Amino acid sequence: MVLIFILAAVAGAYYASNSLLEKPVEIQKDDELLTAKDKATIMIMGVDARDDDVGRSDTLMIASIDPKAQQASLLSVPRDTRVKIKGHGFDKINAAYAYGKEKLSQDTVEDFLGVNIDHHIIINTKSFKNIIDAIGGIDINVPKRMHYEDPWDDDGGLIIDFQPGMQHMDGAKAVTYVRYRDEEGDLGRIRRQQDFVRACTEKLVSPAIIPKLPAVIAEVMDSIETDLSVRQLLEFAGTLKESQKNGLKTDMVPGRPLYIEGISYWIPDLTKLRMTIADTLGISISGRRRTKMEADIREYENSIPASASEVPASDTSIGRAKPSDSSRNRRKEDKANREKRINEERNINREERIRDNEDQGSVEETPRSSRREPSPITTDSSDDTADTSVPTPSAGIGKTR
């Protein structure tokens, strides 16, 4: 009877609350920022809070959720990203939480991305393990040997020890997995965190969770700080689950590492970042907003001192950018489209030559000098996977792995 009562209460809260697409009316949106009409934008932060310190954001992701189309994307923001924080000048983005908790963090993220954020989810690192234990742990494929020991860690020492292969992790092990940093630096950790989110989503919406649902919901609500209702959280998790079938997009803020006054930062490519976000949200940038965006980019670029220097390869604190799954897929699609266009143009030219020969009543091949060849296709020099060679018609043109 107690279980039925709890389930009834959960169901009542689910149906009585708003959906993700219903924007919070109490929050005043900035007209200068992009606002997604048919999607919800959610800031997800993992905060490493201490007993005597408010802490800093250790993990930061921006989720774009489309419940109707069952699609979602996750944008990871490196914690060393250099941004402008209101009242504090330029600093690392994880410092915003220390200065003004989630309110200043959200304002900073909005100004940085040029997008209004609808909701937030704040997860304390210490509470994170309770959530994982509540769902019975997760299974994740560890990509390589991971071993690290820090006897001076604030929690009484830190030991990370994983063998490569599929591993079942309880809450304590999961915390060490997402915190692990190696020669790939913070960027490598971000890629592992994105894989971890996928694994958690699979477990959260699996049939095995149904008997544990009341305890899981209670633990989650006690362990996080959010303006989302129970229904919205369930809708969020369900959309993430379905989006994995439709191709969950994961990306990271594009940019490069740089030393400024002896401190390493992640310097974002704001032009590429904001155009990508507008495309993800399905928003056309108006002339007024484009002017504002260009002004923001100029201000940011001018704020980087001339004394800034490249980060040497020996410094692995941040890491080096690698193409994300979404970026690789887009490049494969672009390459396939280029090859398809070339193939179609060749077929058209071949058919025109045949028709010309038939009109002339000749079976001889058209002189080489009169043939129309496809115009050269230019490729982005930054795409190290682009293939500028013209494939033959028999080479399986248009096929992708």
Side-chain angles (χ1 to χ4, degrees), residues 333-387:
E333 291 174 0
D334 291 342
K335 180 180 177 181
N337 289 334
R338 287 196 296 268
E339 293 177 344
K340 183 178 179 180
R341 288 196 301 270
I342 292 173
N343 192 32
E344 290 175 347
E345 191 168 350
R346 285 193 163 192
N347 289 335
I348 292 173
N349 291 338
R350 187 181 299 109
E351 292 173 358
E352 288 181 349
R353 289 198 299 270
I354 293 173
R355 283 197 300 269
D356 290 342
N357 288 336
E358 290 176 348
D359 292 342
Q360 296 173 5
S362 172
V363 295
E364 295 181 1
E365 186 178 358
T366 305
R368 188 177 189 84
S369 60
S370 65
R371 296 178 187 174
R372 295 173 55 190
E373 294 295 335
S375 57
I377 304 296
T378 58
T379 58
D380 185 354
S381 59
S382 63
D383 183 356
D384 55 4
T385 64
D387 184 2

Side-chain angles (χ1 to χ4, degrees), residues 184-202:
E184 295 182 2
D186 194 42
L187 305 190
R189 187 174 67 160
I190 284 175
R191 287 187 283 271
R192 287 188 290 275
Q193 289 172 350
Q194 291 174 341
D195 291 338
F196 190 82
V197 168
R198 291 189 179 95
C200 284
T201 303
E202 288 284 350

